[in-house]
Amino acid sequence: VGDEMPKPFSDARGRERFILTLWDTQQAGGALRMAFLYDTQKRSSGRTHDTIALAYIGEIKQMWLGIKDVKIVGPTKVSEPSYDYWRLDFSAPDQVPRYNSAIVITLSDRRVLVVRAGAPSQSELDGEVDSLARMRFDKNQK
């Protein structure tokens, strides 16, 4: 899976683990629809969940800033009944899929779960991200 992940969304530090990657077709070369990544680094207990998530999402944003014609929106904080997350949207006309989101969730153990969602339209992307509201990402969530 790691070799098939589009750049820039690969782990240069060796601490990130892909849990699941979903593609739009079974054939090679299909568009990424959703990928779940777990960062094994445990952050300091002196940092809040928001500062942990924002630092991580800042690294993602930095990767996309230098790419021509990329439009970046966010980060935006979203509060679900059982967890909060930070969302960064990015799109480019020559990218497949064209519309993407990076969702960063700080878990109770101060590690980070990242979800990358992709879709051919903004409305489909919003639907993909909204579907995460029904999921639970931490064993301590009720």
Side-chain angles (χ1 to χ4, degrees), residues 4-142:
E4 297 177 12
M5 288 304 302
K7 309 295 184 233
F9 196 68
S10 59
D11 178 18
R13 297 170 287 215
R15 67 175 194 236
E16 296 161 340
R17 304 289 180 256
F18 285 99
I19 299 169
L20 175 68
T21 304
L22 305 171
W23 304 90
D24 67 352
T25 64
Q26 292 181 1
Q27 292 79 22
L32 173 76
R33 289 306 289 225
M34 198 168 282
F36 293 81
L37 179 141
Y38 176 69
D39 187 322
T40 61
Q41 178 186 0
K42 192 171 189 176
R43 276 71 175 183
S44 165
S45 62
R47 298 176 69 193
T48 68
H49 283 245
D50 284 344
T51 58
I52 292 168
L54 283 170
Y56 198 97
I57 217 159
E59 293 176 25
I60 296 170
K61 186 175 184 176
Q62 191 65 36
M63 288 189 291
W64 288 95
L65 283 175
I67 299 176
K68 187 178 186 265
D69 297 328
V70 170
K71 180 182 174 189
I72 299 173
V73 177
T76 305
K77 184 175 183 179
V78 179
S79 294
E80 294 295 342
S82 59
Y83 64 95
D84 295 335
Y85 66 86
W86 285 88
R87 177 179 176 176
L88 180 73
D89 286 358
F90 45 97
S91 62
D94 61 347
Q95 183 178 317
V96 176
R98 182 174 181 178
Y99 297 90
N100 295 272
S101 283
I103 294 95
V104 178
I105 303 161
T106 305
L107 303 173
S108 62
D109 66 0
R110 302 225 174 293
R111 291 184 172 99
V112 173
L113 178 70
V114 181
V115 180
R116 178 174 170 185
S121 71
Q122 185 65 49
S123 62
E124 286 181 76
L125 178 65
D126 291 340
E128 295 282 347
V129 173
D130 290 346
S131 73
L132 298 173
R134 295 183 298 272
M135 298 180 80
R136 300 296 171 254
F137 299 105
D138 204 324
K139 65 182 178 181
N140 296 328
Q141 293 177 344
K142 304 222 180 324

